[in-house]
Amino acid sequence: MKKLFFTISTLVFLISCNNIHQSKQKNKNVTKSNDSSNVISDRQLQSQKNETYNFNTEEQWDSLNKRVDKKVIHRKGKVHPNTKTFGWHIYSNGSSYKNYNFSMLWGLSYFSYALEPKTGSYKSIHQWKTTSLIDSAKAKDCKVFLSVSNFGRENNSIFLENRKAQKTLIDSISNLLAFRSANGINIDFEGVLKEDKEYLTKFIIEISKSLKQDNPNYMISLCLYAIDWNDVFDIQAIDPYIDFYTLMGYDYYGSFSKTTGPVTPFKTSQLFRNGLEKSVDYYNDKGVDLSKLIIGLPYYGAEWYTNKPEIGALVSRFKSHPRYYTIKDIYIDSLKIPVQFDKKSASSYLIIKDSNKKYRQLFFEDTTSLSIKYDWVKSNKIGGIGIWALGYDDGYTELWDLLNEKFSEQ
């Protein structure tokens, strides 16, 4: 890396940034009634929960998750060269990667480099330096990326307005990618304010240029929100510096919702006003080439308490984001709750009757709903699909089999 020399103009810029930051801090809490800060993603919820554990090994996470090694048999096949099948491996999923079908993955991203916004260094990189996940992936020609995550409007403002912290991050990322001979990064900054749009744009351009100067083969990817409430992505400016985008095509409904609904509605309707098609059209209109877009889909559900069984009912209380294997093991296989399907949103759901005439509603993706969305991705020549998160189906093979059916070259 080249050494950074601070000119007088740079110092003026930094002083100006500090003044702007102080001014913005006075007004943020009263001017942001329209932003998406109340939308807390499964990613952020997972990160907040996981930070409460002081674990240093995959074995500790396996113990917490009560993970038992059981060998699964995958269908033979290899992902088609024209399709990007992509997944995120969360460090807290421990050694669940032992059951990944790497042959059906074009790439995966290790989640994550948890950013310390004031300095640019990391709070943790978890097992990035030691995990066998990376070796297993590369042995099957699956590309490996490192996620860089930062959550919350204040954390993003602090970092994006600090050039020194950005330089530290870039240097650190460069070293970590080289250490594991990785292929690039996946940027996941959630809760960015509209006022920080220009800062975000400059940062994306800078980190892309710097890393590609280190290694021209590095790929830079960016997570896009399902709904960009604050219009923070300047696609026209950043597109030349982005190799592919990963749309977080989930959390349309979640812990923040007042009514029940699909985690990933497909089409918009009177009942569900936003959906996957609408999100893709939005970014396409902004200038995202569909061939550069990976559609991330959830391997988890959303469950609420309600007073009525009809979908779209008012929420009494949010319960949880159960993973696919929990939904299968407990609700479907053990409790024998019948799976229902909403055609308009192309989403599966369960209605669970509790005592005292109360209900729980649980929306999730399965082979039926994902099959429809995968076919749509293929018919529209979209770049590929993503999985949040790998290992959420640990012990079950049907979602891997569906990937094979839809995206194998054979």
Side-chain angles (χ1 to χ4, degrees):
M1 295 290 292
K2 295 181 178 179
K3 291 185 178 179
L4 185 64
F5 294 95
F6 287 95
T7 63
I8 292 175
S9 61
T10 303
L11 291 172
V12 170
F13 173 78
L14 292 172
I15 293 170
S16 174
C17 283
N18 184 58
N19 291 337
I20 292 171
H21 178 68
Q22 291 177 352
S23 174
K24 287 168 64 177
Q25 289 298 320
K26 294 177 182 178
N27 298 303
K28 273 178 184 173
N29 291 334
V30 296
T31 61
K32 291 299 121 206
S33 58
N34 235 354
D35 74 7
S36 57
S37 59
N38 66 321
V39 178
I40 300 177
S41 69
D42 179 69
R43 294 178 178 227
Q44 186 170 351
L45 288 173
Q46 286 291 318
S47 295
Q48 290 172 349
K49 179 182 177 181
N50 293 338
E51 284 175 0
T52 64
Y53 300 101
N54 188 27
F55 290 170
N56 299 310
T57 68
E58 292 175 347
E59 290 75 18
Q60 288 173 307
W61 289 111
D62 286 345
S63 177
L64 178 70
N65 297 330
K66 296 181 172 59
R67 183 176 189 275
V68 177
D69 263 333
K70 54 179 181 179
K71 189 171 180 60
V72 299
I73 306 299
H74 295 294
R75 292 181 184 174
K76 291 184 178 180
K78 185 173 176 59
V79 65
H80 195 282
N82 294 335
T83 301
K84 290 181 173 64
T85 50
F86 187 87
W88 288 268
H89 173 83
I90 310 173
Y91 64 90
S92 58
N93 279 353
S95 66
S96 62
Y97 58 83
K98 293 178 180 179
N99 281 334
Y100 295 175
N101 186 359
F102 291 105
S103 295
M104 283 307 304
L105 288 175
W106 171 83
L108 65 81
S109 191
Y110 185 88
F111 196 89
S112 72
Y113 181 113
L115 179 62
E116 170 48 66
K118 293 181 180 179
T119 65
S121 62
Y122 50 79
K123 300 174 187 175
S124 177
I125 51 170
H126 313 290
Q127 286 74 58
W128 170 261
K129 289 186 175 182
T130 58
T131 179
S132 298
L133 161 75
I134 294 173
D135 306 299
S136 299
K138 291 195 290 189
K140 295 292 185 179
D141 297 322
C142 173
K143 292 177 171 50
V144 176
F145 299 82
L146 176 59
S147 289
V148 185
S149 61
N150 197 28
F151 297 111
R153 58 190 187 183
E154 184 175 356
N155 286 336
N156 278 298
S157 290
I158 289 170
F159 174 74
L160 291 172
E161 297 167 19
N162 187 333
R163 291 284 294 274
K164 183 178 179 181
Q166 292 171 36
K167 175 66 166 57
T168 298
L169 169 68
I170 292 170
D171 288 346
S172 180
I173 287 290
S174 178
N175 291 331
L176 291 171
L177 294 182
F179 185 80
R180 294 310 301 259
S181 299
N183 299 96
I185 61 170
N186 184 237
I187 302 169
D188 180 21
F189 284 13
E190 299 183 27
V192 177
L193 289 169
K194 185 166 186 147
E195 289 89 339
D196 287 326
K197 179 175 183 175
E198 185 175 349
Y199 289 110
L200 177 65
T201 301
K202 289 180 178 178
F203 165 68
I204 291 170
I205 292 172
E206 181 61 29
I207 194 170
S208 177
K209 290 169 67 175
S210 295
L211 291 180
K212 286 180 179 289
Q213 186 174 5
D214 293 344
N215 185 340
N217 293 321
Y218 281 156
M219 287 179 277
I220 312 302
S221 57
L222 174 68
C223 288
L224 301 174
Y225 315 143
I227 304 171
D228 185 13
W229 296 110
N230 292 337
D231 185 29
V232 299
F233 299 117
D234 187 345
I235 300 299
Q236 295 295 329
I238 65 176
D239 191 65
Y241 303 92
I242 297 293
D243 293 281
F244 63 94
Y245 301 89
T246 54
L247 174 68
M248 296 183 285
Y250 34 83
D251 292 323
Y252 291 84
Y253 290 81
S255 60
F256 50 87
S257 300
K258 296 180 179 179
T259 59
T260 65
V263 180
T264 304
F266 182 32
K267 298 178 181 291
T268 58
S269 63
Q270 287 186 335
L271 190 58
F272 307 123
R273 304 304 298 270
N274 291 299
L276 201 56
E277 281 191 333
K278 187 174 181 179
S279 296
V280 170
D281 288 342
Y282 170 84
Y283 286 111
N284 191 215
D285 290 343
K286 288 284 186 179
V288 173
D289 190 315
L290 295 185
S291 66
K292 289 177 66 171
L293 185 62
I294 289 174
I295 307 295
L297 294 167
Y299 276 22
Y300 67 92
E303 183 176 6
W304 303 267
Y305 293 98
T306 69
N307 292 323
K308 295 182 179 180
E310 293 81 14
I311 60 175
L314 288 175
V315 169
S316 299
R317 179 164 54 92
F318 176 73
K319 185 176 185 296
S320 65
H321 281 307
R323 300 174 180 186
Y324 181 82
Y325 61 70
T326 300
I327 298 169
K328 279 285 292 182
D329 185 43
I330 296 177
Y331 291 100
I332 298 175
D333 294 345
S334 296
L335 297 178
K336 307 295 183 184
I337 305 295
V339 178
Q340 302 185 59
F341 188 74
D342 179 58
K343 291 184 179 179
K344 190 67 175 180
S345 66
S347 297
S348 296
Y349 65 96
L350 307 174
I351 304 295
I352 304 114
K353 189 172 182 179
D354 282 340
S355 59
N356 300 321
K357 297 182 180 180
K358 303 292 185 180
Y359 298 89
R360 279 178 286 148
Q361 294 189 19
L362 170 55
F363 281 84
F364 67 104
E365 300 292 320
D366 60 8
T367 54
T368 302
S369 62
L370 289 172
S371 181
I372 293 170
K373 289 158 187 172
Y374 289 173
D375 286 341
W376 169 74
V377 166
K378 291 172 66 176
S379 64
N380 285 277
K381 295 181 170 56
I382 298 172
I385 62 94
I387 298 164
W388 180 267
L390 295 168
Y392 279 7
D393 63 337
D394 194 21
Y396 292 89
T397 61
E398 57 263 31
L399 301 187
W400 287 110
D401 292 343
L402 182 64
L403 275 182
N404 187 297
E405 176 187 334
K406 299 296 183 180
F407 299 113
S408 176
E409 65 180 358
Q410 297 178 354

